[in-house]
């Protein structure tokens, strides 16, 4: 199962190919995507992305996770979150969201089992 292409990104809106939903923040993995609802894990810009935000994506058997920190990179990614991924044998890229989407799409096009979490505003 391949990772779906992110078809479009603009401030506050993301579209995933093959999905009719418009996301503000989203999670993607091989074969699927859904809204990334920060309230589920109590996520805020600081301290930022928690391992709990990534567990669902990790469980999909990804080899790489791309984290989009927002258009202005306001979303923090603590070292503990990066370590969590590395301990699970997963490569991680932490980037500004537009760059993160480019990298994610490039990896997906190469057939890499890639997942991601993307913040589409600040």
């Amino acid at each position: 199962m391949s990772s779906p292409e992110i078809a479009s990104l603009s401030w506050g809106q993301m579209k995933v190919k093959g999905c009719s939903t418009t996301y503000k923040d989203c999670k993607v993995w091989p074969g699927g995507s859904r809204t990334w609802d920060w309230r589920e894990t109590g996520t805020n810009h600081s301290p930022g992305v928690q391992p709990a935000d990534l567990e669902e994506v990790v469980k999909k058997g990804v080899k790489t996770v791309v984290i989009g920190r927002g258009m202005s990179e306001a979303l923090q990614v603590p070292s503990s979150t990066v370590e969590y991924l590395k301990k699970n044998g997963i490569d991680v890229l932490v980037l500004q969201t537009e760059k993160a989407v480019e990298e994610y799409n490039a990896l997906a096009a190469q057939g890499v089992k890639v997942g991601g979490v993307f913040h589409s505003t600040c």
Side-chain angles (χ1 to χ4, degrees):
M1 201 165 303
S2 60
S3 299
E5 177 188 343
I6 295 172
S8 67
L9 168 67
S10 59
W11 184 273
Q13 295 190 335
M14 296 183 73
K15 298 282 282 176
V16 175
K17 195 171 186 179
C19 179
S20 60
T21 305
T22 299
Y23 300 113
K24 176 177 169 269
D25 299 320
C26 75
K27 296 182 178 190
V28 290
W29 57 82
S33 64
R34 77 170 182 93
T35 294
W36 178 18
D37 183 349
W38 291 14
R39 292 171 297 191
E40 292 173 0
T41 56
T43 295
N44 280 299
H45 288 101
S46 182
V49 183
Q50 303 301 304
D53 293 309
L54 299 167
E55 283 175 2
E56 178 180 17
V57 175
V58 167
K59 287 178 181 167
K60 304 294 183 182
V62 296
K63 299 292 175 223
T64 304
V65 167
V66 181
I67 300 172
R69 293 187 50 210
M71 299 302 209
S72 306
E73 298 185 85
L75 180 61
Q76 301 301 303
V77 181
S79 57
S80 58
T81 298
V82 173
E83 289 305 311
Y84 162 76
L85 291 167
K86 288 183 176 175
K87 280 183 189 154
N88 280 282
I90 296 168
D91 294 327
V92 60
L93 296 168
V94 179
L95 300 163
Q96 185 267 357
T97 296
E98 288 159 312
K99 290 181 177 71
V101 166
E102 284 176 27
E103 285 295 322
Y104 168 88
N105 279 342
L107 290 165
Q110 293 167 26
V112 174
K113 288 188 79 169
V114 61
V117 293
F118 301 96
H119 179 45
S120 73
T121 57
C122 47

